[in-house]
Amino acid sequence: MSLSGNDGRDGFTSKFGIICATAGSAIGLGNIWRFPYVVGENGGGAFLLVYLGFILLLGIPVMLSELVIGRRGQRNTFGSFRRLSPGKPWWFIGVMGLAAAFMILAFYSTIAGWTLEYIVKSFANAFKGKSSEELAGMFQSFHTGVFWPLFWQVVFIVMTAWIILSGVKKGIEQYSKILMPFLVALLVIMAIRSLSLPGAMGGLQFLFKPDFSELTTSVFLSALGQAFFSLSIGMGAIITYGSYIRKENNLTTIAAQVSLADTLVAILAGVAIFPAVFAFGLDPAEGPGLIFHVLPSIFQKLPGGYFFAIIFFILLAIAALTSSISLLEVVVAFLVEELRVSRKKATIMAASGALFVGVFCTLSFSSLSEAKFFGKTIFDLLDFSASNILLPLGGLLIVVFVGWVMKSAEVKDELSNGGLLKIRLFGFFRFVIKFIAPVAIAIIFFNSIGVL
Ligand code: TRP
């Protein structure tokens, strides 16, 4: 394991490795599974517009704030806050982050498990010659089963833990940096095929033509939750990664490039999926199963689709892994640095905890489908509480911390690498994190939960 020289802690060693690992955390099921289904549920174009606005105005500033906290604090999320503001209860953000990590890992591993099943189905040529209805039926009978969804979830969590165990440099950096360009290339091919299907235009219109009558307060909250989820912000994953970034890297560039890449992949996924949804006469608002119906249909219409399907689902599972390791790393870094647990023990504890909660998520599509809280299944409840409540609240507290608690000179020092880099938009960034971001997040959040 090579050391970066940051307090002698293990860290990322190359600039490219950092971008890849951070982008690897951001790009995942959030872009390819969650983004299309949430866009579909929230009426399309108008949601997309709001989403893009949030990425730019709220997402990038929150991500940059997390990087600043992490690299300055040189600890896990909890420890970074305690170090930067000793004796004050800001470490509570770290506690919220731990809760969010378990909740997200739980439902994330359910979906990641589905992608593993779809790798096997692709190898078995199971989509061949099937109609849309048959493909829907195939997904239905798989995900409402008990054994296989649980089996794949366990496999996924074990894989995540195994990567975490091999350490920061060797694990995260190496696995992240090789494969993501392939995923993008494949998405481009699928988008082209999808766009050339008869009836594809309806999908493009749905995605890009805003219908402002669709905008309700819940659409704003969903867009905020999706933006935070997709960028991996609001719970300290980026703080943790920030603490592994060397002092000579430019944080602003990292935040901008990662956000841009993440957004492009989400839009690309939208362009691959919605034209096909409309061409096949499917319902864009059908929920979490959307891509599992639509993608196999696209592969069937693609020359060499058999191979494309295999490669695509493998890459999707890897994208999910590079994201889930960033979630598990939040918990492991906390256990190792704060509770002095060995890395191995910490990983086993964290992964078992996530699996325990995760089982309930997976079963909420089968034996526990009737168990509802506030009208939501366990899966929906965890997704909603983590993405739409904990992440925005965490993001709000994070910008307030960097905007109001950390000294301006300290933030400037971190962003300019001790005065080495010119930072042009510092005044603007400061203004956004002090005023615009906290107010905007607070209004959207409290408004939609009915407090304001
Ligand atoms: N952003 C990842 C995705 O889009 C998921 C993820 C990884 C995440 N780490 C996170 C979401 C931290 C929220 C917070 O798939």
Side-chain angles (χ1 to χ4, degrees):
M1 235 185 279
S2 64
L3 300 178
S4 70
N6 292 352
D7 278 11
R9 298 166 74 243
D10 190 19
F12 295 126
T13 46
S14 76
K15 180 159 177 258
F16 188 61
I18 295 155
I19 301 254
C20 289
T22 314
S25 165
I27 299 169
L29 296 174
N31 306 62
I32 292 162
W33 156 73
R34 200 174 189 279
F35 175 79
Y37 104 73
V38 175
V39 170
E41 282 184 345
N42 287 280
F47 173 93
L48 179 61
L49 215 59
V50 174
Y51 172 80
L52 293 176
F54 286 173
I55 292 279
L56 211 62
L57 198 70
L58 307 173
I60 296 177
V62 173
M63 185 182 285
L64 196 50
S65 302
E66 287 203 25
L67 289 171
V68 165
I69 295 169
R71 201 173 60 175
R72 194 119 193 128
Q74 287 296 308
R75 286 282 181 281
N76 64 87
T77 309
F78 180 91
S80 286
F81 280 109
R82 250 200 354 197
R83 239 178 151 192
L84 294 176
S85 178
K88 304 260 169 55
W90 289 99
W91 49 260
F92 189 70
I93 301 172
V95 176
M96 281 169 52
L98 290 173
F102 279 111
M103 291 160 78
I104 296 173
L105 267 173
F107 71 83
Y108 207 81
S109 56
T110 300
I111 308 297
W114 295 358
T115 68
L116 296 179
E117 165 78 15
Y118 270 64
I119 295 175
V120 174
K121 284 199 186 330
S122 302
F123 270 110
N125 213 357
F127 312 134
K128 191 165 191 260
K130 297 236 163 47
S131 66
S132 273
E133 295 80 57
E134 286 170 313
L135 289 170
M138 179 191 246
F139 173 71
Q140 186 65 18
S141 64
F142 159 67
H143 90 298
T144 57
V146 172
F147 179 77
W148 288 107
L150 283 178
F151 174 79
W152 291 122
Q153 176 170 46
V154 173
V155 171
F156 183 78
I157 290 187
V158 169
M159 289 194 323
T160 305
W162 175 69
I163 296 174
I164 285 289
L165 267 182
S166 62
V168 177
K169 162 78 174 64
K170 271 194 300 186
I172 304 174
E173 195 170 327
Q174 274 184 12
Y175 290 89
S176 311
K177 75 179 165 196
I178 320 161
L179 291 154
M180 287 310 104
F182 284 102
L183 182 68
V184 171
L186 221 61
L187 276 173
V188 170
I189 296 172
M190 287 157 68
I192 293 171
R193 185 63 192 104
S194 183
L195 284 168
S196 58
L197 292 167
M201 274 318 286
L204 272 193
Q205 278 184 4
F206 178 79
L207 184 60
F208 291 117
K209 206 165 152 232
D211 170 2
F212 292 105
S213 67
E214 296 276 352
L215 290 181
T216 58
T217 46
S218 82
V219 171
F220 279 90
L221 184 67
S222 301
L224 187 69
Q226 176 60 27
F228 279 36
F229 186 88
S230 192
L231 293 179
S232 301
I233 55 179
M235 49 76 73
I238 305 293
I239 295 180
T240 309
Y241 275 24
S243 76
Y244 303 135
I245 294 178
R246 294 214 224 170
K247 290 292 180 194
E248 60 265 30
N249 290 115
N250 186 339
L251 298 182
T252 314
T253 317
I254 297 173
Q257 289 180 347
V258 169
S259 304
L260 181 72
D262 184 72
T263 306
L264 287 178
V265 174
I267 293 177
L268 206 51
V271 175
I273 284 161
F274 287 108
V277 168
F278 281 74
F280 298 128
L282 302 170
D283 175 11
E286 69 152 70
L290 186 65
I291 66 161
F292 296 93
H293 296 171
V294 180
L295 295 179
S297 309
I298 301 177
F299 292 127
Q300 290 215 44
K301 307 252 173 204
L302 203 59
Y306 173 71
F307 296 101
F308 279 118
I310 294 173
I311 299 167
F312 178 83
F313 283 113
I314 290 177
L315 291 176
L316 183 58
I318 292 170
L321 269 174
T322 60
S323 299
S324 64
I325 57 181
S326 76
L327 288 157
L328 197 61
E329 179 66 22
V330 169
V331 185
V332 170
F334 167 80
L335 293 172
V336 170
E337 293 177 358
E338 304 300 319
L339 305 184
R340 305 271 154 217
V341 178
S342 74
R343 196 165 168 90
K344 189 168 177 189
K345 248 196 201 144
T347 306
I348 293 170
M349 283 162 64
S352 322
L355 181 61
F356 178 76
V357 188
V359 165
F360 292 93
C361 286
T362 299
L363 293 181
S364 77
F365 292 97
S366 52
S367 19
L368 297 177
S369 63
E370 294 307 316
K372 300 227 166 127
F373 306 88
F374 309 101
K376 290 180 168 13
T377 61
I378 298 168
F379 181 93
D380 289 334
L381 184 74
L382 283 177
D383 185 356
F384 184 87
S385 321
S387 313
N388 293 5
I389 297 180
L390 286 177
L391 297 184
L393 268 185
L396 175 67
L397 294 171
I398 284 164
V399 284
V400 167
F401 184 82
V402 176
W404 296 92
V405 177
M406 285 178 77
K407 290 198 193 70
S408 181
E410 212 182 349
V411 177
K412 197 167 185 171
D413 183 68
E414 200 56 49
L415 286 175
S416 67
N417 295 354
L420 285 175
L421 300 170
K422 264 218 187 69
I423 40 169
R424 272 167 292 155
L425 295 169
F426 186 69
F428 178 67
F429 170 68
R430 200 74 194 147
F431 181 73
V432 170
I433 57 168
K434 263 181 122 96
F435 302 103
I436 302 198
V439 171
I441 298 172
I443 292 178
I444 299 159
F445 181 71
F446 290 112
N447 201 345
S448 63
I449 59 168
V451 178
L452 235 143

